[in-house]
Amino acid sequence: MICVENVNFHYPGSLDVLHNVSLKIDDGEFVAIMGENGAGKTTLVKLFNGLLKPDSGSILIDNVNSRDASVAELSRQVGLIFQNPDHQLFAETVEEELRFSLKNFGFKESMIQNRITSMLTALGIEQYVNTSPFLLSGGERKRVALASILVWDPKHVIMDEPTIGQDYTQKDRLRNFITQLISQKKTVIVVTHDIEFIAECKPRVVLMSKGRIIADGPAESILTDQRIVEEASLVLPQMTQLMRSIAELHAPRHIIDVYSALGFILRALRERTKGRQK
């Protein structure tokens, strides 16, 4: 469990970035943290693995106070994939990138190669095993950075803007991969502006604005509330906008993804057809 209580934080020479933030994330939850640039999203998740320490308040990771643990200790349980993969990658090949973290955490050599092969295959980048990560595209480097964290199997996984540079096929692969992580009882936290991706995933959504949490709840409730979505400098999901534009069909207001929209439209068309046949 991740428990944040009354946390405040500021960078040297700046005003407060986080203001009295409280948040509880249970084991195995899938949570999206969303909001405008500068809302404090990335700062908040960096506090989760000890890269930053709060000015006041407390952060407990599985009942361990982040103030009392090193970054290395917290990182074993909380894996953070940075928004910019170039801030995370350094090795000469993709294989060495993954091997470094496994060796650093004391994995036996007999296990290392199997873990590397399995993870690269799961993310569709096994063909780059002997390639320099810096010769790959931005989206591919993003997946290498993701693999380099997931390969050591942290309990809590944090992804900062994971869909940047990814096409729809790769986003779909990522969505399925997140589903697998959830099925393994892992906590998954995604920091993102990609409202369409989140609309299809339907996690719990935490909206932030100006260093504060302004809304917290199911995606269908949060992402269809125009007032709070606009307060977080986001826009309603496209399917929500579509449903509201065909109000004459009495479309429910909570639809946020294409599959729910398609199902409703097909049902409405069938009912209209039956009505004409009578």
Side-chain angles (χ1 to χ4, degrees):
M1 177 185 295
I2 297 174
C3 188
V4 181
E5 293 186 359
N6 303 317
V7 162
N8 293 276
F9 178 84
H10 79 286
Y11 292 101
S14 72
L15 299 175
D16 286 351
V17 177
L18 297 176
H19 308 271
N20 199 38
V21 171
S22 294
L23 177 68
K24 186 175 79 170
I25 300 175
D26 290 328
D27 291 347
E29 267 202 284
F30 179 17
V31 178
I33 300 178
M34 308 184 74
E36 75 267 23
N37 288 331
K41 307 182 300 298
T42 296
T43 297
L44 178 60
V45 296
K46 284 183 176 179
L47 289 164
F48 292 172
N49 79 337
L51 286 173
L52 300 174
K53 304 292 185 181
D55 296 338
S56 61
S58 66
I59 296 179
L60 300 180
I61 308 297
D62 300 329
N63 295 319
V64 175
N65 194 310
S66 66
R67 295 181 184 277
D68 301 328
S70 67
V71 175
E73 291 169 330
L74 290 175
S75 293
R76 184 65 183 86
Q77 298 300 319
V78 183
L80 172 59
I81 297 95
F82 293 170
Q83 178 177 343
N84 186 343
D86 292 345
H87 294 166
Q88 194 163 342
L89 304 175
F90 63 91
E92 293 185 1
T93 69
V94 169
E95 179 178 359
E96 285 303 315
E97 195 72 53
L98 275 64
R99 182 178 295 276
F100 175 84
S101 58
L102 291 172
K103 291 176 67 175
N104 198 43
F105 281 124
F107 283 81
K108 295 180 179 179
E109 188 63 33
S110 58
M111 299 175 60
I112 287 177
Q113 194 58 52
N114 285 338
R115 280 182 170 266
I116 291 173
T117 301
S118 176
M119 185 54 58
L120 294 181
T121 301
L123 291 173
I125 49 176
E126 65 274 16
Q127 67 271 35
Y128 302 126
V129 62
N130 295 315
T131 303
S132 167
F134 300 103
L135 296 178
L136 303 179
S137 69
E140 289 164 345
R141 290 201 303 277
K142 195 85 172 182
R143 279 181 279 155
V144 173
L146 178 59
S148 72
I149 298 298
L150 295 180
V151 74
W152 78 67
D153 197 29
K155 179 181 178 181
H156 310 290
V157 179
I158 303 173
M159 306 178 190
D160 194 353
E161 298 291 356
T163 63
I164 289 179
Q166 307 292 334
D167 60 21
Y168 185 82
T169 298
Q170 294 305 328
K171 287 183 183 182
D172 193 49
R173 184 191 289 266
L174 176 62
R175 184 164 48 250
N176 292 332
F177 197 74
I178 288 173
T179 300
Q180 292 178 30
L181 294 176
I182 297 299
S183 71
Q184 297 167 14
K185 309 301 183 184
K186 293 188 181 299
T187 307
V188 178
I189 301 169
V190 174
V191 175
T192 184
H193 289 87
D194 193 339
I195 200 163
E196 304 302 335
F197 179 76
I198 296 304
E200 294 192 7
C201 294
K202 297 182 183 177
R204 170 186 170 191
V205 172
V206 175
L207 281 188
M208 296 187 67
S209 179
K210 299 179 176 62
R212 303 179 187 276
I213 293 175
I214 62 171
D216 182 354
E220 294 93 334
S221 299
I222 301 299
L223 300 185
T224 55
D225 187 323
Q226 187 163 355
R227 180 188 62 81
I228 59 174
V229 167
E230 290 180 349
E231 185 178 348
S233 299
L234 300 172
V235 296
L236 294 174
Q238 293 177 1
M239 289 302 108
T240 303
Q241 297 179 49
L242 173 62
M243 291 295 98
R244 294 184 180 186
S245 71
I246 55 175
E248 69 276 8
L249 293 179
H250 304 290
R253 298 177 63 85
H254 65 272
I255 289 179
I256 60 175
D257 66 293
V258 65
Y259 303 106
S260 299
L262 177 61
F264 169 76
I265 292 171
L266 290 175
R267 287 192 299 272
L269 290 173
R270 282 195 295 268
E271 290 172 4
R272 286 195 169 192
T273 300
K274 289 179 181 178
R276 293 193 186 101
Q277 291 173 348
K278 290 180 178 180

